[in-house]
Amino acid sequence: MEQLEFHVITDGKQSDDRILAVASTLVPYVTAIHIRENSQSAGSIYNLSEKLKQRGVKSEAIYMNDRVDVAAAAGLGGVHLKESSLAPDVVRKHFPPLRIGRSVHSSEGAIHAEQKGADYLFFGHVFSTKSKKDKEPKGLHQLRDVAKAVSVPVFAIGGISPEKVSSVLCAGASGIAVMSGIWNADDPVSIAKQYKTALMKGSDQDAQTL
Amino acid sequence: MEQLEFHVITDGKQSDDRILAVASTLVPYVTAIHIRENSQSAGSIYNLSEKLKQRGVKSEAIYMNDRVDVAAAAGLGGVHLKESSLAPDVVRKHFPPLRIGRSVHSSEGAIHAEQKGADYLFFGHVFSTKSKKDKEPKGLHQLRDVAKAVSVPVFAIGGISPEKVSSVLCAGASGIAVMSGIWNADDPVSIAKQYKTALMKGSDQDAQTL
């Protein structure tokens, strides 16, 4: 079966030095590090991705939020699009090598994003999280609906602790995306290992139920 | 001799409808309309450039500020880079068809931008302008120094009224870039004609002095 994926997203609150230090230790455990630094300039995030590569993060494992130009110029593995970004089909046409992700918040949104050519989806926030205090979490039920509605992999995002990994996998997620769970941790690499272990256990359970 | 250029830059304060209405009337007079809408998403400015084309603005005459991806995806003529944008040489390598402009604020900056492969430069602000109240204008003297320091065309920006066009041309500018002079005008097309006339007169004077 396909490898369950583990995406880590920067939260826009860390120094470049901490991003580099933490990200380089996460390499053995994660599928991709997403640079999501919306207040930084294109030049800055291009430099950050160059430095990540120098620190041993493979370019295929670096994804860029929204800025397709930076992803293409830096030869990154993927770009993660918001609803307000360039559409997946436009990106595919002009930047074919990039893996294209898209954030969605409903089954309809997921179906639309898949039709437009997204390679994978983030759905959330599944659980309550400090970064989305004012919005109700979507819950596992909606996650299940979304995962059923599309054939591309859906990764759960929002309030996912290592303990909650099995529940989102059970609901049909093909992996997870984590922000504060990593960046707010005193020992990010230890937490990353817990996430990875939970994903592998989840995967084992899946295999047993087949 | 080369045609003197006339660039009009959106100011981030107009509705899309006004941008479309005004820009379509400016077509006969301007070299390029720059979309500089830093608070709008990539999707929005992509749609805006598509609409500009539908309203008769040729794609070659639409330049995008900072967002190289949107410029490339929409097939626009140029991209205008800030100091914090992707570097001109990076853009040239990955997006070769785009004309690449760069804003500079000193002779050193101009020389560096030219070395990095910029096709043209904006230098300013030359005169005092409401949009840069707290900064001293650079003045015609510095404009002359910058224009002498590089071989790529330098377009003057900042507080340029039609009456001031001849002075910036005299100082070595190869054209002008205008923001509030157009968008704050009650009758933008009439002002655009005045700029164009001033540029053509300036050009005549140059020819006489040769």
Side-chain angles (χ1 to χ4, degrees), chain B residues 123-143:
Chain B
F123 174 75
H125 53 296
V126 176
F127 303 110
S128 61
T129 165
K130 279 182 189 165
S131 62
K132 304 265 184 188
K133 266 184 188 166
D134 47 345
K135 287 188 178 170
E136 276 292 300
K138 305 284 184 185
L140 291 166
H141 219 76
Q142 278 199 61
L143 171 60

Side-chain angles (χ1 to χ4, degrees), chain A residues 41 43 66-69 73 84, chain B residues 41 43 66-69 73 84 94:
Chain A
S41 67
D66 185 58
R67 292 290 309 224
V68 188
D69 43 4
S84 61
Chain B
S41 69
D66 185 58
R67 293 289 311 222
V68 188
D69 44 3
S84 61
H94 297 279

Side-chain angles (χ1 to χ4, degrees), chain A residues 16-168:
Chain A
D16 277 11
D17 282 346
R18 181 155 198 257
I19 293 172
L20 292 168
V22 170
S24 57
T25 65
L26 299 182
V27 168
Y29 312 106
V30 303
T31 311
I33 307 279
H34 292 234
I35 301 178
R36 184 180 181 278
E37 298 291 314
N38 297 337
S39 64
Q40 284 200 45
S41 67
S44 296
I45 53 179
Y46 177 82
N47 291 337
L48 179 57
S49 47
E50 291 297 301
K51 286 181 194 161
L52 277 171
K53 288 191 250 172
Q54 288 161 16
R55 293 287 284 263
V57 185
K58 285 192 180 156
S59 52
E60 306 91 80
I62 306 172
Y63 288 18
M64 185 60 64
N65 191 277
D66 185 58
R67 292 290 309 224
V68 188
D69 43 4
V70 179
L76 305 184
V79 66
H80 190 83
L81 305 173
K82 302 180 274 197
E83 282 187 7
S84 61
S85 297
L86 287 171
D89 54 342
V90 172
V91 175
R92 176 81 63 216
K93 185 175 171 195
H94 297 278
F95 309 91
L98 291 168
R99 190 181 189 209
I100 300 170
R102 178 69 199 279
S103 291
V104 300
H105 305 95
S106 67
S107 295
E108 295 70 31
I111 292 165
H112 180 74
E114 181 178 43
Q115 285 170 344
K116 284 279 188 181
D119 294 310
Y120 73 85
L121 306 176
F122 280 0
F123 174 75
H125 54 294
V126 176
F127 303 111
S128 61
T129 166
K130 280 182 189 166
S131 62
K132 303 265 184 188
K133 265 183 186 167
D134 48 344
K135 287 187 180 171
E136 276 292 299
K138 304 283 183 185
L140 291 166
H141 218 77
Q142 277 199 62
L143 171 60
R144 185 180 300 276
D145 291 344
V146 167
K148 273 190 186 162
V150 294
S151 56
V152 292
V154 175
F155 308 130
I157 186 168
I160 297 169
S161 61
E163 297 71 34
K164 286 175 174 161
V165 169
S166 64
S167 67
V168 300

